[in-house]
Amino acid sequence: MEDKLITGLFEHPGVVTRRAEHQLRYALALASLEIFQPGAAKKGGRTKRPDVKVRSQRLGAWRRRVIGNLGDILIDTKSSRERVELASRALFSMLPNLEKTRAEVIEKYANDFSERELDEELGTKTLVCVAGGGGGAGYVYLGAWEVLQNAGLVPGYLIGASIGSVLGLFRAQHRQLDFDESVRVAKSMKGEEIFRFVSLNARFGLPGVVRLFLHTAFGRQFPDLKSRSFELPDLAIPFETVVAGVRRNALDGLGPEEYARAHHLPADKRPSGLQLRAQIASQLVQVAGFINPRAVQEIVIGGDDLTRRFNAIDAAGFSAAIPGILHYDVTRDDAHMQQMLTDLMEREDVTALVDGGVANNVPSRTAWRQVQAGKIGTRNTYILAFDCFHPSIGLKHLVFQPITRVIAYQVALNERYARKRIEFKPTLSPINLLPSSRDLDKAVQWGRHQMSEEIAHIQKYFERVKWVAPTH
């Protein structure tokens, strides 16, 4: 209902007075109110106060009245202008009930929150970003985030899968990010620092053609991430990643090391270019078998007490570890992380942690669930999902067609949990994990361009909504 209303208000500015616009939006926000943390909306994150479940007789009646009197108008009226006009007229006769409902809630919960804190929750929307996976195709996100920041929209919470978690780690370091510097850093990344051909014991990850090393490269480029103890709570923006836990029966009864030998993965010599392409192509066929809830289960790193203090780089590394292609593991001397991972895998009953994209590539539903569980205190959010990995035409995407078609079913299950999902087109090839400076500039510009086309409509959601009492 809110989406339909805001689309009408955006397409027909001035069709109703600003007073009526505030009243309409406040009416819907109050009808949606169930639970929130007082003060969180203004702060932009959790406070030390407890969540408050809001229940009252008038509020329940108000919710039913809004659905009954405004629901059909907003949802079924095709003309966006007529939709807003009819809704405004219908609300006019409901305004006395709106005022009484608000007054009852304020009176009943006077010891829990103030009138001002209620209005802040209902009138302040927080941006939640979901960064989907897709390898090198994801570099468009840097340009999109830059446009959002320039428009004054900074994520209050960010969750990523695969490349979305790696780039999300970049974004979450600072609320106001220097994007020119981030692009410069991305251009300076060296393949031999990040991708290596060495044998590693598969303690927590699944062996692959290439070993993924992030600590050395990120530590050199990002001063904030140099410390091996840099944890998720140390980031400026609340950040979580999705990883996939490989179920114990998913590897045909083999352990990770036996699986590697059976698939000829544990080589420690760099193959020729032709051999490497052949090995990756072979493993891409196998990846589709992991995109199955019987094979993997979704795990949110940072989403509970056990993983809350997860190392930030490790969280991104495991989320980006494509099964059979990229192997990420914790092999350094880090008792804290090794114990946490041991406890996590035992609790989840999984044998390895791999790319979050195979479990949930664009995890909008997960973002919504985390918000409702109180991740950032406020529940008045706009969930914006970035999707760079979808069926596309062209030779560079041909090898990914079987995987993207399976992923599309995942995305469909998440669709209704995001206010908007942006399918970025064009993108770099997913296999272009470390693009040239020229390719990276193109990707960033593509992201800027597409987000620039969407930003005005998105900004409409974030206009501050005020309580405007009806005239008597």
Side-chain angles (χ1 to χ4, degrees):
M1 291 170 66
E2 184 184 39
D3 290 340
K4 292 286 189 178
L5 172 64
I6 289 181
T7 296
L9 293 170
F10 174 74
E11 293 177 351
H12 304 282
V15 68
V16 296
T17 65
R18 288 290 290 173
R19 179 187 189 87
E21 182 174 333
H22 281 290
Q23 289 172 335
L24 277 166
R25 294 189 62 180
Y26 194 100
L28 294 184
L30 183 60
S32 300
L33 182 65
E34 291 189 55
I35 184 171
F36 75 105
Q37 185 186 46
K42 181 179 181 180
K43 180 184 176 184
R46 285 201 67 86
T47 69
K48 294 182 179 180
R49 296 167 65 182
D51 287 346
V52 179
K53 291 183 179 180
V54 183
R55 304 284 188 272
S56 82
Q57 185 174 354
R58 278 191 177 275
L59 183 58
W62 176 251
R63 189 173 291 117
R64 292 189 294 272
R65 193 185 303 272
V66 166
I67 293 172
N69 293 1
L70 298 180
D72 290 344
I73 292 173
L74 289 173
I75 294 172
D76 295 335
T77 305
K78 292 183 178 180
S79 166
S80 58
R81 181 187 182 96
E82 184 180 1
R83 183 190 309 152
V84 175
E85 292 173 332
L86 291 175
S88 181
R89 291 175 201 157
L91 180 65
F92 183 77
S93 63
M94 300 163 59
L95 289 176
N97 282 305
L98 172 59
E99 186 173 31
K100 291 176 183 177
T101 301
R102 176 177 178 271
E104 181 183 85
V105 169
I106 292 170
E107 180 181 3
K108 181 176 180 179
Y109 293 95
N111 294 329
D112 299 298
F113 53 78
S114 66
E115 177 180 351
R116 175 180 55 81
E117 288 169 334
L118 173 66
D119 290 344
E120 286 170 351
E121 172 66 16
L122 299 182
T124 307
K125 200 169 289 293
T126 297
L127 175 64
V128 169
C129 276
V130 178
Y139 285 104
V140 289
Y141 299 167
L142 295 175
W145 276 321
E146 182 180 15
V147 172
L148 286 169
Q149 179 173 293
N150 290 342
L153 300 179
V154 174
Y157 166 54
L158 199 156
I159 187 168
S162 196
I163 190 65
S165 65
V166 175
L167 296 175
L169 178 59
F170 281 36
R171 180 64 192 92
Q173 287 182 88
H174 306 285
R175 288 188 58 80
Q176 296 296 320
L177 189 65
D178 184 338
F179 283 93
D180 289 339
E181 176 64 12
S182 293
V183 172
R184 185 198 67 76
V185 167
K187 289 179 179 179
S188 69
M189 291 287 185
K190 294 180 171 56
E192 59 270 21
E193 285 185 332
I194 300 176
F195 307 112
R196 302 181 189 176
F197 297 87
V198 295
S199 293
L200 293 177
N201 290 328
R203 183 168 184 184
F204 305 110
L206 186 69
V209 176
V210 185
R211 318 313 178 232
L212 180 60
F213 286 78
L214 294 183
H215 274 273
T216 301
F218 280 21
R220 184 174 66 83
Q221 297 292 346
F222 296 103
D224 290 345
L225 297 177
K226 279 185 178 179
S227 171
R228 289 182 174 179
S229 62
F230 193 86
E231 298 170 342
L232 292 175
D234 298 323
L235 294 163
I237 295 173
F239 173 64
E240 295 174 345
T241 70
V242 170
V243 302
V246 180
R247 300 184 188 277
R248 294 195 178 278
N249 61 351
L251 303 180
D252 298 324
L254 302 175
E257 295 290 353
E258 291 82 6
Y259 177 88
R261 285 191 288 271
H263 291 77
H264 310 291
L265 294 177
D268 57 2
K269 294 182 180 180
R270 183 183 182 91
S272 67
L274 184 60
Q275 289 173 327
L276 181 60
R277 286 194 292 272
Q279 287 179 338
I280 291 176
S282 174
Q283 291 306 313
L284 279 173
V285 176
Q286 304 292 327
V287 169
F290 285 89
I291 309 173
N292 183 332
R294 294 180 180 177
V296 299
Q297 64 187 63
E298 180 184 22
I299 300 171
V300 180
I301 299 297
D304 59 9
D305 288 340
L306 174 58
T307 62
R308 189 177 68 86
R309 303 205 67 87
F310 212 91
N311 180 278
I313 295 178
D314 290 335
F318 281 113
S319 185
I322 305 170
I325 297 177
L326 293 178
H327 176 198
Y328 188 85
D329 228 310
V330 175
T331 57
R332 64 186 185 274
D333 184 15
D334 188 333
H336 167 71
M337 278 303 302
Q338 290 178 358
Q339 186 61 56
M340 186 187 303
L341 285 161
T342 299
D343 293 344
L344 176 64
M345 294 177 69
E346 181 178 347
R347 185 188 74 182
E348 301 295 332
D349 194 27
V350 296
T351 191
L353 302 178
V354 297
D355 191 319
V358 300
N360 199 353
N361 199 54
V362 186
S364 302
R365 176 177 51 186
T366 306
W368 178 87
R369 187 175 64 229
Q370 294 298 94
V371 167
Q372 297 307 310
K375 178 68 182 183
I376 54 175
T378 180
R379 273 68 169 182
N380 188 1
T381 62
Y382 181 102
I383 298 179
L384 176 62
F386 290 173
D387 181 8
C388 66
F389 193 66
H390 37 76
S392 301
I393 299 173
L395 290 176
K396 66 180 180 179
H397 296 285
L398 187 61
V399 70
F400 298 101
Q401 286 289 335
I403 300 175
T404 55
R405 293 190 183 281
V406 177
I407 290 287
Y409 290 105
Q410 277 186 3
V411 174
L413 293 173
N414 284 268
E415 189 75 9
R416 69 189 184 98
Y417 293 92
R419 292 299 183 101
K420 186 165 191 65
R421 177 176 61 88
I422 298 179
E423 284 191 1
F424 285 93
K425 296 178 183 178
T427 66
L428 300 178
S429 169
I431 207 168
N432 193 357
L433 296 177
L434 275 182
S436 67
S437 293
R438 183 167 175 263
D439 282 349
L440 185 59
D441 286 338
K442 285 196 302 184
V444 172
Q445 187 55 38
W446 289 334
R448 287 184 188 131
H449 176 73
Q450 192 158 352
M451 181 54 71
S452 294
E453 294 181 336
E454 306 283 356
I455 193 65
H457 190 190
I458 292 172
Q459 281 182 296
K460 184 67 181 177
Y461 283 82
F462 292 88
E463 291 180 356
R464 182 75 163 84
V465 176
K466 300 178 182 178
W467 164 248
V468 180
T471 55
H472 298 285

